[in-house]
Amino acid sequence: MSGPDSVELTGSERKALHDVQDLGPVDPATTVEFTVVLRRRAELPADLVTGARTVTAAELAARYGADQADLAVVVHTLEAAGARVDEQHAGSRRVCASAPVAVAHRLFGVELSQVRETDPLGGEPVEHRMRTGTLRIPAAWAGIVTAVLGLDDRPQVRPHLRLLDAAAARTAFYTPPQLAEIYKFPAATGAGQTVAVLEFGGGFDQQDVDGYFSELGLRAPKITSVGVDGVQNSGSADDDVSGEVTLDIQVLGAAAPDAAQVVYFAPWSDRGIVDAIATAAHASPAPVAMSISWGLSEERWTRQAMTTIDDAFADAAALGVTVCVSSGDDGSRSRDTSPGPHQAFPASSPHVLAIGGTTLFAHTDTRAVDAETVWGGAGDDNATGGGVSSVFPVPAWQTGVGVPARNGRPGRGVPDVAADADPATGYIVRWRGQDQSIGGTSASAPLWAALICRLTEILKQPVGLAQPAFYNGVTAGTPAPGFRDIVSGSNGEYRAGAGWDPCTGLGVPIGTDLLEVVRRHLTADRT
């Protein structure tokens, strides 16, 4: 829709992709699915996001979700234009709809092209829709609608896992239970807890899962697969993305064996990511943790998508969910070839616990650590992600730890915490019927989600946004209670040092000590 009956949608500008083959305009009769995101009926209180108090999904919807009058305006406009409304969700402020491309053109002033892009995983090229420029929305939606996602369905995330190079030296490999002991996880199993695991493609082979846990002498975890926006568990380990799914499930299940896992499979478009986060956060039973091992540099996202996703993470924190996100495996460049350091999103969201990676040398018999440094191998594509956001400001809980400026501007520092991630000192998992070592911050993220499960089981209340507890009282250059400081190594642009740094954050966990840190903080927050 163009002309006086429409307005520009702030933050929706899309740049054209380079190095793609233009296949021509999308057929006007082709149906496209999209998600319309609405404003909150009232602002989410900061203390609800950062404090110990939580709300239920129903309470969040009633107090801070979309207003019914706003939903009615959006639904009426869509249906009058010839679109079909597939789902309304007041709590997450979403209307999921579908329409022929011709209708989408009239509604949003959008021209869609079909393009073929080189597969980021090195497989077959990926075909998807692409748009450029700024969307327009019906004037009746002005001030009500904050985002329209999915018209352009380009890949927005990549899996953060690394396989051991066949020519690399084999140094030390660990099972997740061994790492849990090395990091002194408190004695618990995650009993009674549910974790949401978000995957954007692929699947898992149940035979791999059963064989892996049988070999470890553990019960296989209860796993429920949930499809989002038409994507389902492939049930196979044939494609490379399935290595990510397998790694997440096995690391989490071996370190918190009694936690139930709900694995959400969604498209890797901005719409798929938003819909997966919202579906998982508002689920019943409510998850205590969410594990996301995917991301891409901030520069590849629209502002409307980043704002919407960050808001969804704020909802998750209010619901008591600790969202653990891998910081990336490409050092300070985050797989971006343009000049300067780059930070991966969604790890840069201030409402997630961003997880970095280390290289760990420890004794598997005594669990004693000989050395642990920043994971920073040769090349930009073999090192922990970390740096400073160009989008999000420094959060209140991070102001005192010495986050450096980026291009003269302050920003949210990443990561918050770390754990073993180097594939040369990696995690033993079973994939495609074989035990092998896989690394990347893809592995450290579910390991931290397992630790959150154990803490929650013992504390008998969700941790929610963990950073206010983890950073409490920490100053620049000083170790944080509950953590073992990592002081050597580099991820490219940044080097480790005493206290928080943009390579390993506050450090790696001393789980039993961290339990007491969180306990004291939650107790103080309630009084």
Side-chain angles (χ1 to χ4, degrees):
M1 182 178 292
S2 59
D5 293 331
S6 69
V7 296
E8 285 193 349
L9 180 58
T10 302
S12 65
E13 183 180 0
R14 272 285 195 193
K15 296 180 180 179
L17 291 168
H18 301 292
D19 300 323
V20 297
Q21 180 184 357
D22 189 344
L23 303 178
V26 178
D27 185 340
T30 298
T31 297
V32 294
E33 298 176 336
F34 54 92
T35 295
V36 180
V37 185
L38 285 68
R39 66 186 175 184
R40 298 184 188 277
R41 64 169 65 214
E43 288 301 313
L44 197 61
D47 62 345
L48 181 59
V49 176
T50 62
R53 184 171 64 94
T54 62
V55 293
T56 65
E59 291 169 335
L60 184 72
R63 300 173 191 172
Y64 312 110
D67 187 274
Q68 289 299 321
D70 287 350
L71 281 169
V73 169
V74 170
V75 169
H76 172 75
T77 306
L78 287 169
E79 292 180 338
R84 184 182 73 188
V85 173
D86 300 311
E87 180 187 359
Q88 300 179 50
H89 195 272
S92 59
R93 310 177 313 285
R94 293 175 302 127
V95 175
C96 299
S98 54
V101 166
V103 172
H105 172 72
R106 292 196 300 271
L107 275 169
F108 307 116
V110 64
E111 301 286 347
L112 296 175
S113 298
Q114 192 75 11
V115 299
R116 181 179 292 120
E117 183 180 3
T118 302
D119 179 16
L121 299 178
E124 295 296 320
V126 177
E127 290 191 14
H128 60 83
R129 297 186 300 273
M130 184 181 76
R131 68 171 178 86
T132 59
T134 302
L135 293 176
R136 301 189 69 84
I137 56 174
W141 290 6
I144 294 175
V145 169
T146 60
V148 177
L149 306 172
L151 299 169
D152 180 319
D153 62 349
R154 70 184 70 180
Q156 283 290 172
V157 288
R158 307 290 189 269
H160 288 158
L161 85 164
R162 286 290 182 269
L163 303 178
L164 182 67
D165 191 306
R170 294 179 174 268
T171 51
F173 305 138
Y174 311 96
T175 66
Q178 288 171 339
L179 287 167
E181 292 188 21
I182 290 167
Y183 290 129
K184 295 182 169 56
F185 281 19
T189 62
Q193 315 307 314
T194 299
V195 182
V197 182
L198 270 55
E199 306 292 355
F200 303 100
F204 62 93
D205 184 337
Q206 190 63 48
Q207 288 186 329
D208 281 344
V209 173
D210 292 341
Y212 180 71
F213 287 97
S214 176
E215 185 177 351
L216 290 178
L218 297 171
R219 293 186 301 276
K222 178 186 176 183
I223 303 172
T224 303
S225 296
V226 176
V228 177
D229 294 344
V231 175
Q232 302 287 337
N233 172 21
S234 69
S236 167
D238 290 342
D239 59 276
D240 289 343
V241 175
S242 296
E244 178 63 68
V245 182
T246 301
L247 176 69
D248 293 343
I249 288 172
Q250 293 183 6
V251 170
L252 176 59
D258 288 333
Q261 299 186 33
V262 183
V263 186
Y264 294 85
F265 292 90
W268 57 3
S269 64
D270 54 10
R271 174 184 186 247
I273 295 159
V274 167
D275 288 347
I277 295 167
T279 302
H282 292 259
S284 179
V288 299
M290 188 183 299
S291 181
I292 304 175
S293 295
W294 302 69
L296 199 62
S297 69
E298 291 177 327
E299 289 77 8
R300 303 296 183 93
W301 297 79
T302 62
R303 289 300 178 100
Q304 65 164 356
M306 297 179 76
T307 299
T308 300
I309 291 170
D310 183 54
D311 284 346
F313 288 141
D315 284 353
L319 293 164
V321 185
T322 305
V323 183
C324 301
V325 179
S326 60
S327 66
D329 302 339
D330 307 286
S332 56
R333 298 193 64 83
S334 193
R335 203 178 289 188
D336 195 307
T337 57
S338 59
H342 301 276
Q343 181 48 53
F345 181 80
S348 64
S349 163
H351 297 114
V352 308
L353 186 67
I355 318 294
T358 66
T359 298
L360 170 70
F361 296 98
H363 297 272
T364 55
D365 50 355
T366 65
R367 313 304 194 239
V369 175
D370 284 336
E372 192 161 13
T373 62
V374 174
W375 170 40
D380 288 337
D381 62 347
N382 193 31
T384 181
V388 180
S389 173
S390 63
V391 176
F392 299 100
V394 182
W397 35 262
Q398 206 175 39
T399 54
V401 299
V403 179
R406 172 178 167 179
N407 298 327
R409 297 178 57 186
R412 190 272 205 258
V414 175
D416 296 303
V417 298
D420 181 37
D422 188 339
T425 65
Y427 296 59
I428 299 172
V429 298
R430 179 167 295 185
W431 183 36
R432 295 172 174 169
Q434 295 182 340
D435 288 350
Q436 52 189 294
S437 174
I438 301 181
T441 55
S442 278
S444 50
L447 187 71
W448 263 94
L451 175 55
I452 295 297
C453 282
R454 293 197 188 199
L455 296 177
T456 305
E457 178 189 353
I458 295 169
L459 294 169
K460 294 182 171 53
Q461 73 172 100
V463 176
L465 190 70
Q467 290 96 315
F470 291 177
Y471 283 86
N472 187 32
V474 179
T475 57
T478 61
F483 292 88
R484 179 159 48 79
D485 202 5
I486 306 300
V487 297
S488 63
S490 167
N491 71 346
E493 182 79 11
Y494 304 101
R495 296 199 63 83
W500 182 91
D501 59 63
C503 297
T504 57
L506 298 171
V508 298
I510 306 172
T512 50
D513 292 352
L514 197 59
L515 172 65
E516 297 309 313
V517 168
V518 176
R519 191 197 306 275
R520 288 194 299 269
H521 182 79
L522 292 178
T523 300
D525 196 67
R526 288 195 299 266
T527 58

